[in-house]
Amino acid sequence: MATRASRFTLPALLLLPLIGVYGGWAVTTVEDLPDYGVVRQPLNLTFTVRQHGVTKLSNLEPRVEARAGGVTTAAAAQPGKAAGQYTARLVLPQAGEWTITIHSGFMGSRVTLVPLQVIEAGAQAPVALSAADRGRRLFVAKGCVTCHLHRDVSGSGVVAVGPELTHRPLAAEYLRRFLADPSIVGSGNRMPNLSLKQPEIAALIAFLNPTGHVDVGN
């Protein structure tokens, strides 16, 4: 039997309604976000750009910029194999925390990822991220940050066409199904299928629902 949370709260919280949103914004979704980088070893970032979070945009000229300690490096992105997909190759010259910004090439839309730690070649790998920390990074990298406000994520809710997700824990099993295939909500849902992997889904659930408590309000 469907729970009250899955029948009422979850569709209201997670679907993007059919609203007349027009203008120059896009959502950028990064594939295979690394936990850290290594100095002078190529860091390949593959990402997809969607107008209004839905329509994949090809024929753009995105660029990726990285900054740390007064040093800036950038790379032009090349078209990928799929519609709206691009790949950029960064080579970071020094260790430290690098702030990476992806400029989509569409009407000034961009996303700045959570700073990435970069280590020297041969150095000990950083302590593994917790599931919740990885989920917070994915919340930004997968594009959730554009459409949803989460007050624990700086810069979230850029256009806020989706519901706020701050302290609104949701049923883990429903989230698992929804994030794997958003179409389960119904035809009115405009959230695209981001082809999330199961470890990514688990991390996002750990971030969105750190206590395991389920919101059963309307």
Side-chain angles (χ1 to χ4, degrees):
M1 179 182 294
T3 65
R4 184 183 175 190
S6 63
R7 291 170 58 195
F8 299 104
T9 303
L10 295 165
L13 284 171
L14 291 177
L15 59 81
L16 295 178
L18 289 172
I19 57 178
V21 180
Y22 297 97
W25 63 275
V27 174
T28 297
T29 301
V30 179
E31 301 176 17
D32 300 323
L33 182 70
D35 286 349
Y36 66 93
V38 179
V39 172
R40 290 182 289 278
Q41 291 188 11
L43 179 68
N44 296 311
L45 289 177
T46 299
F47 54 92
T48 299
V49 181
R50 293 179 175 86
Q51 184 178 14
H52 302 157
V54 179
T55 305
K56 294 180 180 180
L57 295 170
S58 298
N59 303 315
L60 299 178
E61 296 182 356
R63 62 185 177 88
V64 179
E65 182 180 77
R67 297 183 179 184
V71 176
T72 300
T73 185
Q78 303 301 318
K81 296 180 180 180
Q85 185 187 69
Y86 304 88
T87 298
R89 181 178 182 270
L90 286 172
V91 178
L92 304 177
Q94 66 184 37
E97 284 201 337
W98 285 80
T99 298
I100 298 174
T101 298
I102 301 173
H103 300 267
S104 72
F106 180 74
M107 301 291 289
S109 289
R110 64 184 183 273
V111 62
T112 297
L113 306 180
V114 174
L116 179 74
Q117 186 173 358
V118 174
I119 64 172
E120 295 285 357
Q124 183 175 354
V127 175
L129 296 171
S130 69
D133 283 343
R134 183 172 289 109
R136 179 173 175 271
R137 290 171 176 266
L138 290 169
F139 188 86
V140 177
K142 295 300 179 180
C144 316
V145 68
T146 302
C147 298
H148 298 278
L149 173 64
H150 194 298
R151 296 183 189 276
D152 292 336
V153 180
S154 177
S156 64
V158 177
V159 291
V161 295
E164 180 175 351
L165 297 178
T166 311
H167 307 308
R168 298 298 297 269
L170 307 170
E173 181 54 34
Y174 185 92
L175 271 175
R176 192 172 292 112
R177 292 168 53 224
F178 178 86
L179 292 173
D181 180 11
S183 69
I184 65 171
V185 170
S187 61
N189 176 30
R190 296 185 67 206
M191 178 169 164
N193 189 329
L194 301 178
S195 300
L196 297 171
K197 300 177 177 64
Q198 287 302 316
E200 294 173 332
I201 291 173
L204 283 165
I205 292 172
F207 170 65
L208 293 171
N209 191 0
T211 66
H213 169 73
V214 176
D215 182 351
V216 295
N218 291 322

